[in-house]
Amino acid sequence: MKELTLNDLVIDPKIPKEVSEDYSSNDWGVIGQPRAVEALEMGLTIQAKGYNLFVTGESGTGRNTAVMEILKNFRHKKRPLQDLVYVFNFEDEKSPQVLIFQEGEAERFKTQMGQFIDKIKSLVKEKLDSQAYKDQRDSEIKTTELKENHSLNEFDKTLKNQDFCLVQMEDDDEEATTDIAPVRDEKPISFEDLHELIDSGEITEEQWTKKREEYFHLMDQMKAIYRELKENRKILDQNLDKLRSQLVKPALIREINLLKQEWDQADYMTYISSLERDISQNLDLFSEEDEDDEDSDLLLRYQVNI
């Protein structure tokens, strides 16, 4: 094992350029405290009330002399302040997006964004409460339900023709599931009970085996029908999303363009464009009942944090 030397422990503090320009070790006579210098420099440049500097260290280390020397030689730089804003990153939800504004501009941006979201909320409600939307929505739903009922009725006829019926059962997790059972004397019967009829001579082994084969064939049909129903519901949701988007899109584009005219820098324009796409894809958020709740999805997704 190699013993470390002092040189092995030297770490480049990477002092910011503006700090290293303001100070050198000859300015104040204490060597090896770059982080302290950086902290003091930052504290001295804060232009606001309520901030204090607290200096600590062992007696005899020259901390008072060093601080007084720094204060004496401090050349105050009036750098323009900036407002930092965190907004939702629609491309990567775990990494908020940062927007940078001139001092005081972030508050104006936040106010306008709040007004924009309220306006879109009102527009969405207005469009979705219209009779034109409700008629088209109901027509889409009715068409899908007619297809579902037709498929289920046809399958029910097939079951009856082969002396089967649908039954509701519970799985190991006590979740309701749909199964198929043979019918005997107009009542569903389990295959275990049906098998006992072989011993009494009421059915033959061949009849029981045929019934099992019919069961598996019908189960395949039922699963295919349920897959079709699920796909039809998915298509219905897509059609309703498209319908809502078509109704709201003209008004949304108009309001988005007003925002872009006000905030026409590249970073702001990029965020506003991604905002438009996201709203178009999440119009359901604007019709939530708990839209005034502080933890609502709408507030969390479109909030401006200064």
Side-chain angles (χ1 to χ4, degrees), residues 190-205:
S190 68
F191 276 99
E192 289 78 7
D193 292 340
L194 190 64
H195 192 270
E196 292 179 359
L197 298 180
I198 297 176
D199 296 335
S200 62
E202 296 182 54
I203 63 171
T204 64
E205 183 77 34

mmCIF file with all atom_site columns, all heavy atoms in Angstrom, residues 190-205:
data_model
loop_
_atom_site.group_PDB
_atom_site.id
_atom_site.type_symbol
_atom_site.label_atom_id
_atom_site.label_alt_id
_atom_site.label_comp_id
_atom_site.label_asym_id
_atom_site.label_entity_id
_atom_site.label_seq_id
_atom_site.pdbx_PDB_ins_code
_atom_site.Cartn_x
_atom_site.Cartn_y
_atom_site.Cartn_z
_atom_site.occupancy
_atom_site.B_iso_or_equiv
_atom_site.pdbx_formal_charge
_atom_site.auth_seq_id
_atom_site.auth_comp_id
_atom_site.auth_asym_id
_atom_site.auth_atom_id
_atom_site.pdbx_PDB_model_num
ATOM 1   N N   . SER A 1 190 ? -70.134 -27.831 -13.251 1.00 0.00 ? 190 SER A N   1
ATOM 2   C CA  . SER A 1 190 ? -68.673 -27.872 -13.376 1.00 0.00 ? 190 SER A CA  1
ATOM 3   C C   . SER A 1 190 ? -68.265 -29.155 -14.077 1.00 0.00 ? 190 SER A C   1
ATOM 4   O O   . SER A 1 190 ? -69.009 -30.147 -14.108 1.00 0.00 ? 190 SER A O   1
ATOM 5   C CB  . SER A 1 190 ? -68.027 -27.807 -11.990 1.00 0.00 ? 190 SER A CB  1
ATOM 6   O OG  . SER A 1 190 ? -68.297 -28.996 -11.256 1.00 0.00 ? 190 SER A OG  1
ATOM 7   N N   . PHE A 1 191 ? -67.040 -29.149 -14.635 1.00 0.00 ? 191 PHE A N   1
ATOM 8   C CA  . PHE A 1 191 ? -66.550 -30.347 -15.311 1.00 0.00 ? 191 PHE A CA  1
ATOM 9   C C   . PHE A 1 191 ? -66.295 -31.479 -14.316 1.00 0.00 ? 191 PHE A C   1
ATOM 10  O O   . PHE A 1 191 ? -66.383 -32.654 -14.671 1.00 0.00 ? 191 PHE A O   1
ATOM 11  C CB  . PHE A 1 191 ? -65.280 -30.025 -16.096 1.00 0.00 ? 191 PHE A CB  1
ATOM 12  C CG  . PHE A 1 191 ? -65.562 -29.445 -17.459 1.00 0.00 ? 191 PHE A CG  1
ATOM 13  C CD1 . PHE A 1 191 ? -65.497 -28.084 -17.668 1.00 0.00 ? 191 PHE A CD1 1
ATOM 14  C CD2 . PHE A 1 191 ? -65.909 -30.264 -18.525 1.00 0.00 ? 191 PHE A CD2 1
ATOM 15  C CE1 . PHE A 1 191 ? -65.750 -27.542 -18.918 1.00 0.00 ? 191 PHE A CE1 1
ATOM 16  C CE2 . PHE A 1 191 ? -66.172 -29.737 -19.773 1.00 0.00 ? 191 PHE A CE2 1
ATOM 17  C CZ  . PHE A 1 191 ? -66.096 -28.372 -19.976 1.00 0.00 ? 191 PHE A CZ  1
ATOM 18  N N   . GLU A 1 192 ? -66.008 -31.132 -13.057 1.00 0.00 ? 192 GLU A N   1
ATOM 19  C CA  . GLU A 1 192 ? -65.827 -32.164 -12.035 1.00 0.00 ? 192 GLU A CA  1
ATOM 20  C C   . GLU A 1 192 ? -67.148 -32.906 -11.792 1.00 0.00 ? 192 GLU A C   1
ATOM 21  O O   . GLU A 1 192 ? -67.189 -34.148 -11.746 1.00 0.00 ? 192 GLU A O   1
ATOM 22  C CB  . GLU A 1 192 ? -65.326 -31.536 -10.730 1.00 0.00 ? 192 GLU A CB  1
ATOM 23  C CG  . GLU A 1 192 ? -63.887 -31.036 -10.778 1.00 0.00 ? 192 GLU A CG  1
ATOM 24  C CD  . GLU A 1 192 ? -63.756 -29.703 -11.504 1.00 0.00 ? 192 GLU A CD  1
ATOM 25  O OE1 . GLU A 1 192 ? -64.813 -29.119 -11.846 1.00 0.00 ? 192 GLU A OE1 1
ATOM 26  O OE2 . GLU A 1 192 ? -62.630 -29.261 -11.750 1.00 0.00 ? 192 GLU A OE2 1
ATOM 27  N N   . ASP A 1 193 ? -68.229 -32.115 -11.655 1.00 0.00 ? 193 ASP A N   1
ATOM 28  C CA  . ASP A 1 193 ? -69.545 -32.744 -11.448 1.00 0.00 ? 193 ASP A CA  1
ATOM 29  C C   . ASP A 1 193 ? -69.995 -33.486 -12.697 1.00 0.00 ? 193 ASP A C   1
ATOM 30  O O   . ASP A 1 193 ? -70.650 -34.551 -12.602 1.00 0.00 ? 193 ASP A O   1
ATOM 31  C CB  . ASP A 1 193 ? -70.585 -31.681 -11.083 1.00 0.00 ? 193 ASP A CB  1
ATOM 32  C CG  . ASP A 1 193 ? -70.322 -31.070 -9.711  1.00 0.00 ? 193 ASP A CG  1
ATOM 33  O OD1 . ASP A 1 193 ? -69.607 -31.708 -8.905  1.00 0.00 ? 193 ASP A OD1 1
ATOM 34  O OD2 . ASP A 1 193 ? -70.802 -29.948 -9.451  1.00 0.00 ? 193 ASP A OD2 1
ATOM 35  N N   . LEU A 1 194 ? -69.648 -32.932 -13.866 1.00 0.00 ? 194 LEU A N   1
ATOM 36  C CA  . LEU A 1 194 ? -70.028 -33.595 -15.113 1.00 0.00 ? 194 LEU A CA  1
ATOM 37  C C   . LEU A 1 194 ? -69.309 -34.940 -15.249 1.00 0.00 ? 194 LEU A C   1
ATOM 38  O O   . LEU A 1 194 ? -69.895 -35.929 -15.737 1.00 0.00 ? 194 LEU A O   1
ATOM 39  C CB  . LEU A 1 194 ? -69.699 -32.684 -16.300 1.00 0.00 ? 194 LEU A CB  1
ATOM 40  C CG  . LEU A 1 194 ? -70.235 -33.109 -17.670 1.00 0.00 ? 194 LEU A CG  1
ATOM 41  C CD1 . LEU A 1 194 ? -71.774 -33.091 -17.677 1.00 0.00 ? 194 LEU A CD1 1
ATOM 42  C CD2 . LEU A 1 194 ? -69.701 -32.188 -18.765 1.00 0.00 ? 194 LEU A CD2 1
ATOM 43  N N   . HIS A 1 195 ? -68.068 -34.987 -14.779 1.00 0.00 ? 195 HIS A N   1
ATOM 44  C CA  . HIS A 1 195 ? -67.304 -36.229 -14.879 1.00 0.00 ? 195 HIS A CA  1
ATOM 45  C C   . HIS A 1 195 ? -67.899 -37.327 -14.007 1.00 0.00 ? 195 HIS A C   1
ATOM 46  O O   . HIS A 1 195 ? -67.805 -38.529 -14.341 1.00 0.00 ? 195 HIS A O   1
ATOM 47  C CB  . HIS A 1 195 ? -65.843 -35.966 -14.480 1.00 0.00 ? 195 HIS A CB  1
ATOM 48  C CG  . HIS A 1 195 ? -64.923 -37.091 -14.807 1.00 0.00 ? 195 HIS A CG  1
ATOM 49  N ND1 . HIS A 1 195 ? -64.657 -38.128 -13.935 1.00 0.00 ? 195 HIS A ND1 1
ATOM 50  C CD2 . HIS A 1 195 ? -64.206 -37.361 -15.946 1.00 0.00 ? 195 HIS A CD2 1
ATOM 51  C CE1 . HIS A 1 195 ? -63.814 -38.974 -14.494 1.00 0.00 ? 195 HIS A CE1 1
ATOM 52  N NE2 . HIS A 1 195 ? -63.515 -38.540 -15.716 1.00 0.00 ? 195 HIS A NE2 1
ATOM 53  N N   . GLU A 1 196 ? -68.514 -36.946 -12.908 1.00 0.00 ? 196 GLU A N   1
ATOM 54  C CA  . GLU A 1 196 ? -69.122 -37.942 -12.014 1.00 0.00 ? 196 GLU A CA  1
ATOM 55  C C   . GLU A 1 196 ? -70.302 -38.643 -12.672 1.00 0.00 ? 196 GLU A C   1
ATOM 56  O O   . GLU A 1 196 ? -70.686 -39.748 -12.262 1.00 0.00 ? 196 GLU A O   1
ATOM 57  C CB  . GLU A 1 196 ? -69.574 -37.265 -10.717 1.00 0.00 ? 196 GLU A CB  1
ATOM 58  C CG  . GLU A 1 196 ? -68.406 -36.775 -9.860  1.00 0.00 ? 196 GLU A CG  1
ATOM 59  C CD  . GLU A 1 196 ? -68.888 -36.094 -8.587  1.00 0.00 ? 196 GLU A CD  1
ATOM 60  O OE1 . GLU A 1 196 ? -70.124 -36.008 -8.406  1.00 0.00 ? 196 GLU A OE1 1
ATOM 61  O OE2 . GLU A 1 196 ? -68.033 -35.633 -7.794  1.00 0.00 ? 196 GLU A OE2 1
ATOM 62  N N   . LEU A 1 197 ? -70.885 -37.982 -13.700 1.00 0.00 ? 197 LEU A N   1
ATOM 63  C CA  . LEU A 1 197 ? -72.033 -38.589 -14.390 1.00 0.00 ? 197 LEU A CA  1
ATOM 64  C C   . LEU A 1 197 ? -71.614 -39.778 -15.251 1.00 0.00 ? 197 LEU A C   1
ATOM 65  O O   . LEU A 1 197 ? -72.455 -40.561 -15.684 1.00 0.00 ? 197 LEU A O   1
ATOM 66  C CB  . LEU A 1 197 ? -72.737 -37.539 -15.258 1.00 0.00 ? 197 LEU A CB  1
ATOM 67  C CG  . LEU A 1 197 ? -73.334 -36.341 -14.512 1.00 0.00 ? 197 LEU A CG  1
ATOM 68  C CD1 . LEU A 1 197 ? -73.994 -35.379 -15.492 1.00 0.00 ? 197 LEU A CD1 1
ATOM 69  C CD2 . LEU A 1 197 ? -74.341 -36.801 -13.463 1.00 0.00 ? 197 LEU A CD2 1
ATOM 70  N N   . ILE A 1 198 ? -70.292 -39.890 -15.497 1.00 0.00 ? 198 ILE A N   1
ATOM 71  C CA  . ILE A 1 198 ? -69.810 -41.041 -16.267 1.00 0.00 ? 198 ILE A CA  1
ATOM 72  C C   . ILE A 1 198 ? -70.030 -42.320 -15.465 1.00 0.00 ? 198 ILE A C   1
ATOM 73  O O   . ILE A 1 198 ? -70.470 -43.346 -16.000 1.00 0.00 ? 198 ILE A O   1
ATOM 74  C CB  . ILE A 1 198 ? -68.311 -40.875 -16.616 1.00 0.00 ? 198 ILE A CB  1
ATOM 75  C CG1 . ILE A 1 198 ? -68.105 -39.645 -17.503 1.00 0.00 ? 198 ILE A CG1 1
ATOM 76  C CG2 . ILE A 1 198 ? -67.784 -42.127 -17.319 1.00 0.00 ? 198 ILE A CG2 1
ATOM 77  C CD1 . ILE A 1 198 ? -66.639 -39.354 -17.800 1.00 0.00 ? 198 ILE A CD1 1
ATOM 78  N N   . ASP A 1 199 ? -69.741 -42.237 -14.156 1.00 0.00 ? 199 ASP A N   1
ATOM 79  C CA  . ASP A 1 199 ? -69.898 -43.426 -13.305 1.00 0.00 ? 199 ASP A CA  1
ATOM 80  C C   . ASP A 1 199 ? -71.347 -43.883 -13.228 1.00 0.00 ? 199 ASP A C   1
ATOM 81  O O   . ASP A 1 199 ? -71.628 -45.085 -13.110 1.00 0.00 ? 199 ASP A O   1
ATOM 82  C CB  . ASP A 1 199 ? -69.371 -43.129 -11.899 1.00 0.00 ? 199 ASP A CB  1
ATOM 83  C CG  . ASP A 1 199 ? -67.874 -42.839 -11.902 1.00 0.00 ? 199 ASP A CG  1
ATOM 84  O OD1 . ASP A 1 199 ? -67.189 -43.313 -12.829 1.00 0.00 ? 199 ASP A OD1 1
ATOM 85  O OD2 . ASP A 1 199 ? -67.399 -42.119 -10.990 1.00 0.00 ? 199 ASP A OD2 1
ATOM 86  N N   . SER A 1 200 ? -72.270 -42.935 -13.276 1.00 0.00 ? 200 SER A N   1
ATOM 87  C CA  . SER A 1 200 ? -73.699 -43.295 -13.192 1.00 0.00 ? 200 SER A CA  1
ATOM 88  C C   . SER A 1 200 ? -74.262 -43.690 -14.548 1.00 0.00 ? 200 SER A C   1
ATOM 89  O O   . SER A 1 200 ? -75.435 -44.088 -14.642 1.00 0.00 ? 200 SER A O   1
ATOM 90  C CB  . SER A 1 200 ? -74.512 -42.132 -12.624 1.00 0.00 ? 200 SER A CB  1
ATOM 91  O OG  . SER A 1 200 ? -74.427 -40.994 -13.460 1.00 0.00 ? 200 SER A OG  1
ATOM 92  N N   . GLY A 1 201 ? -73.448 -43.566 -15.597 1.00 0.00 ? 201 GLY A N   1
ATOM 93  C CA  . GLY A 1 201 ? -73.892 -43.977 -16.922 1.00 0.00 ? 201 GLY A CA  1
ATOM 94  C C   . GLY A 1 201 ? -74.724 -42.943 -17.653 1.00 0.00 ? 201 GLY A C   1
ATOM 95  O O   . GLY A 1 201 ? -75.263 -43.229 -18.727 1.00 0.00 ? 201 GLY A O   1
ATOM 96  N N   . GLU A 1 202 ? -74.820 -41.719 -17.100 1.00 0.00 ? 202 GLU A N   1
ATOM 97  C CA  . GLU A 1 202 ? -75.645 -40.698 -17.758 1.00 0.00 ? 202 GLU A CA  1
ATOM 98  C C   . GLU A 1 202 ? -74.950 -40.114 -18.984 1.00 0.00 ? 202 GLU A C   1
ATOM 99  O O   . GLU A 1 202 ? -75.605 -39.638 -19.906 1.00 0.00 ? 202 GLU A O   1
ATOM 100 C CB  . GLU A 1 202 ? -75.983 -39.589 -16.774 1.00 0.00 ? 202 GLU A CB  1
ATOM 101 C CG  . GLU A 1 202 ? -76.850 -40.065 -15.602 1.00 0.00 ? 202 GLU A CG  1
ATOM 102 C CD  . GLU A 1 202 ? -77.216 -38.934 -14.656 1.00 0.00 ? 202 GLU A CD  1
ATOM 103 O OE1 . GLU A 1 202 ? -77.762 -37.921 -15.148 1.00 0.00 ? 202 GLU A OE1 1
ATOM 104 O OE2 . GLU A 1 202 ? -76.961 -39.062 -13.437 1.00 0.00 ? 202 GLU A OE2 1
ATOM 105 N N   . ILE A 1 203 ? -73.619 -40.108 -18.974 1.00 0.00 ? 203 ILE A N   1
ATOM 106 C CA  . ILE A 1 203 ? -72.857 -39.703 -20.165 1.00 0.00 ? 203 ILE A CA  1
ATOM 107 C C   . ILE A 1 203 ? -71.702 -40.668 -20.330 1.00 0.00 ? 203 ILE A C   1
ATOM 108 O O   . ILE A 1 203 ? -71.318 -41.371 -19.392 1.00 0.00 ? 203 ILE A O   1
ATOM 109 C CB  . ILE A 1 203 ? -72.317 -38.252 -20.058 1.00 0.00 ? 203 ILE A CB  1
ATOM 110 C CG1 . ILE A 1 203 ? -71.318 -38.142 -18.893 1.00 0.00 ? 203 ILE A CG1 1
ATOM 111 C CG2 . ILE A 1 203 ? -73.441 -37.242 -19.916 1.00 0.00 ? 203 ILE A CG2 1
ATOM 112 C CD1 . ILE A 1 203 ? -70.588 -36.805 -18.854 1.00 0.00 ? 203 ILE A CD1 1
ATOM 113 N N   . THR A 1 204 ? -71.117 -40.668 -21.533 1.00 0.00 ? 204 THR A N   1
ATOM 114 C CA  . THR A 1 204 ? -69.977 -41.545 -21.782 1.00 0.00 ? 204 THR A CA  1
ATOM 115 C C   . THR A 1 204 ? -68.666 -40.757 -21.635 1.00 0.00 ? 204 THR A C   1
ATOM 116 O O   . THR A 1 204 ? -68.661 -39.523 -21.608 1.00 0.00 ? 204 THR A O   1
ATOM 117 C CB  . THR A 1 204 ? -70.051 -42.132 -23.197 1.00 0.00 ? 204 THR A CB  1
ATOM 118 O OG1 . THR A 1 204 ? -69.936 -41.046 -24.146 1.00 0.00 ? 204 THR A OG1 1
ATOM 119 C CG2 . THR A 1 204 ? -71.374 -42.859 -23.429 1.00 0.00 ? 204 THR A CG2 1
ATOM 120 N N   . GLU A 1 205 ? -67.571 -41.493 -21.548 1.00 0.00 ? 205 GLU A N   1
ATOM 121 C CA  . GLU A 1 205 ? -66.253 -40.861 -21.475 1.00 0.00 ? 205 GLU A CA  1
ATOM 122 C C   . GLU A 1 205 ? -65.998 -40.024 -22.722 1.00 0.00 ? 205 GLU A C   1
ATOM 123 O O   . GLU A 1 205 ? -65.414 -38.930 -22.653 1.00 0.00 ? 205 GLU A O   1
ATOM 124 C CB  . GLU A 1 205 ? -65.184 -41.944 -21.344 1.00 0.00 ? 205 GLU A CB  1
ATOM 125 C CG  . GLU A 1 205 ? -63.765 -41.411 -21.190 1.00 0.00 ? 205 GLU A CG  1
ATOM 126 C CD  . GLU A 1 205 ? -63.502 -40.890 -19.776 1.00 0.00 ? 205 GLU A CD  1
ATOM 127 O OE1 . GLU A 1 205 ? -64.064 -41.455 -18.815 1.00 0.00 ? 205 GLU A OE1 1
ATOM 128 O OE2 . GLU A 1 205 ? -62.731 -39.896 -19.653 1.00 0.00 ? 205 GLU A OE2 1
#
